[in-house]
Amino acid sequence: MSDFVERFKKGAKALTDALGPGQYEVANIKVICPHCKNDVFEEGSAQLNTAGATFLNLDWLNKSAVVLVCTRCGLIQWFGESVDKID
């Protein structure tokens, strides 16, 4: 039974590490905050709305972007392509 608990703890830690802040790269280049030179970010997403789609109530058709928020200064960087977590 204790083996199960230990494996469960390891799995829970891996999940929280994967969802928490981390280091990222885009196009094989490590992302660094241009303001404070930090290299740890929170990942999020944002929808790229267009006036036409919003007017027609079709916002779900718009593309989305990946945003990385610096954990030190809060600067937000937007990426149209996918980002890779390197932790």
Side-chain angles (χ1 to χ4, degrees):
M1 185 66 164
S2 66
D3 187 42
F4 171 77
V5 173
E6 290 303 314
R7 288 178 188 226
F8 182 80
K9 286 180 182 178
K10 283 184 180 180
K13 183 178 180 336
L15 179 62
T16 55
D17 289 347
L19 297 177
Q23 297 176 332
Y24 293 85
E25 66 179 24
V26 177
N28 296 319
I29 301 171
K30 186 175 180 181
V31 179
I32 303 289
C33 177
H35 181 71
C36 71
K37 307 302 182 219
N38 185 32
D39 66 350
V40 180
F41 299 88
E42 290 278 352
E43 182 179 348
S45 64
Q47 193 168 14
L48 303 173
N49 290 350
T50 60
T54 299
F55 178 75
L56 297 172
N57 204 22
L58 298 172
D59 286 323
W60 58 273
L61 288 173
N62 288 318
K63 293 182 180 182
S64 61
V66 176
V67 294
L68 296 179
V69 182
C70 178
T71 58
R72 183 180 296 157
C73 72
L75 182 76
I76 300 171
Q77 298 185 63
W78 294 62
F79 297 93
E81 301 297 322
S82 64
V83 300
D84 298 313
K85 192 169 186 178
I86 57 175
D87 281 353

